[in-house]
Amino acid sequence: MNKATRKAIIAGNWKMNKTATEAKELISQLIPAVKQADCEVVICTPFTSLCTAVELCRGTNIHVGAENVHFEKSGAYTGEISADMLVDLGVEYVIVGHSERRQYFAETDETVNKRAKAALAAGLKVIVCVGESLAQREQGVTEELVRMQTKIALQDVSAEEMQRVVIAYEPVWAIGTGRTATSEQAQEVCAAIRKVLGELYGQAVAEATTVQYGGSMNAGNADELLEKPDVDGGLIGGASLKADAFGAIVAAASK
Ligand code: PGA
């Protein structure tokens, strides 16, 4: 596998943090912090900060993403946001299937697939999150589970659409816990995901697809994780809320 054939992507996942006013402040610090990046830089913000983020990031190397999207085009879905609404704002990326959505908002592999397809149909780039819980890791089913999540998430997604798909491997036990996967564990599962992509779409697509690691990635461990041949970037929660920490991870991915 040749890492040089695909793009490293460092994406911030702000989760439910920062008002639009606070977002303005953080983005004004992020712009200089990542401007030398030699990788793709994305910030995924709450819906309420997207307008501000799109406006402030225009003309910079920062791409803007949302943290979720509904799968229907429009209609009676009070409180939901469609892919067309995101595109119209100038949003480029969207995260689907984050484990917090699976855990707290009844997201299933099937709805992850529906959201991914709706987002791709609208022209968005999609970051699909997969990953096992601690119990599943201890039961020894990590690979089977992640294979299944990946396969279901990508049902009816074409090889051509895969150019706009990123897979983020996020072990649930490592998210927001300060307990990062070892670089060997991250490599093992990212490689398993790439293998599944190869089975579904062939070697060329597998080698071209960015597979990120996420879960307590920070300035201190980013180098070691990103050095691994199948770890093509990171989905960053906590450390994406501080410009210096996020800038250091972007710098690690730019080496
Ligand atoms: P964390 O979150 O970096 O705070 O662990 C990662 C994520 O949930 O995407």
Side-chain angles (χ1 to χ4, degrees):
M1 294 287 172
N2 181 4
K3 216 172 168 170
T5 59
R6 51 191 180 263
K7 200 162 35 174
I9 303 176
I10 299 297
N13 172 14
W14 289 13
K15 311 193 179 186
M16 195 173 73
N17 291 296
K18 304 289 176 190
T19 62
T21 307
E22 291 163 346
K24 208 169 184 169
E25 162 108 23
L26 175 56
I27 293 167
S28 69
Q29 296 164 358
L30 283 170
I31 291 170
V34 304
K35 94 171 181 279
Q36 310 290 352
D38 190 20
C39 64
E40 180 117 325
V41 180
V42 184
I43 54 171
C44 299
T45 80
F47 291 129
T48 48
S49 291
L50 287 172
C51 276
T52 306
V54 167
E55 201 172 299
L56 294 178
C57 294
R58 194 169 290 134
T60 75
N61 60 338
I62 302 180
H63 303 256
V64 176
E67 300 175 12
N68 189 28
V69 64
H70 198 262
F71 41 81
E72 295 294 346
K73 268 193 96 58
S74 63
Y77 301 98
T78 303
E80 291 298 317
I81 308 279
S82 75
D84 288 339
M85 291 172 187
L86 296 177
V87 170
D88 184 62
L89 281 189
V91 170
E92 197 180 328
Y93 280 87
V94 66
I95 299 172
V96 304
H98 190 280
S99 65
E100 286 149 17
R101 304 255 10 133
R102 295 177 191 256
Q103 189 178 349
Y104 306 127
F105 303 99
E107 189 85 67
T108 64
D109 290 324
E110 286 72 22
T111 57
V112 172
N113 174 240
K114 285 166 93 167
R115 286 177 216 277
K117 282 193 297 190
L120 289 166
L124 291 164
K125 295 173 183 162
V126 180
I127 301 175
V128 177
C129 301
V130 297
E132 83 288 2
S133 65
L134 187 57
Q136 290 161 335
R137 176 159 282 268
E138 285 168 350
Q139 287 154 0
V141 298
T142 297
E143 190 170 328
E144 286 94 325
L145 184 96
V146 167
R147 281 180 63 88
M148 184 181 79
Q149 289 176 329
T150 306
K151 282 176 96 158
I152 299 175
L154 298 177
Q155 295 268 310
D156 300 320
V157 170
S158 70
E160 206 243 312
E161 286 174 319
M162 283 303 291
Q163 290 171 24
R164 289 185 285 120
V165 172
V166 172
I167 311 286
Y169 166 53
E170 296 207 308
V172 179
W173 47 271
I175 295 175
T177 58
R179 190 179 158 196
T180 320
T182 64
S183 55
E184 288 74 23
Q185 288 169 327
Q187 164 60 26
E188 193 179 19
V189 183
C190 289
I193 291 168
R194 202 177 307 287
K195 185 161 172 277
V196 143
L197 297 178
E199 290 163 16
L200 296 173
Y201 297 102
Q203 185 86 347
V205 169
E207 285 196 29
T209 304
T210 299
V211 181
Q212 301 175 312
Y213 166 79
S216 300
M217 195 190 258
N218 58 41
N221 58 34
D223 265 327
E224 202 190 327
L225 288 159
L226 293 168
E227 236 170 53
K228 292 292 177 190
D230 287 291
V231 180
D232 307 320
L235 185 55
I236 321 297
S240 72
L241 297 170
K242 296 208 172 71
D244 53 350
F246 192 64
I249 298 170
V250 166
S254 302
K255 281 180 191 158

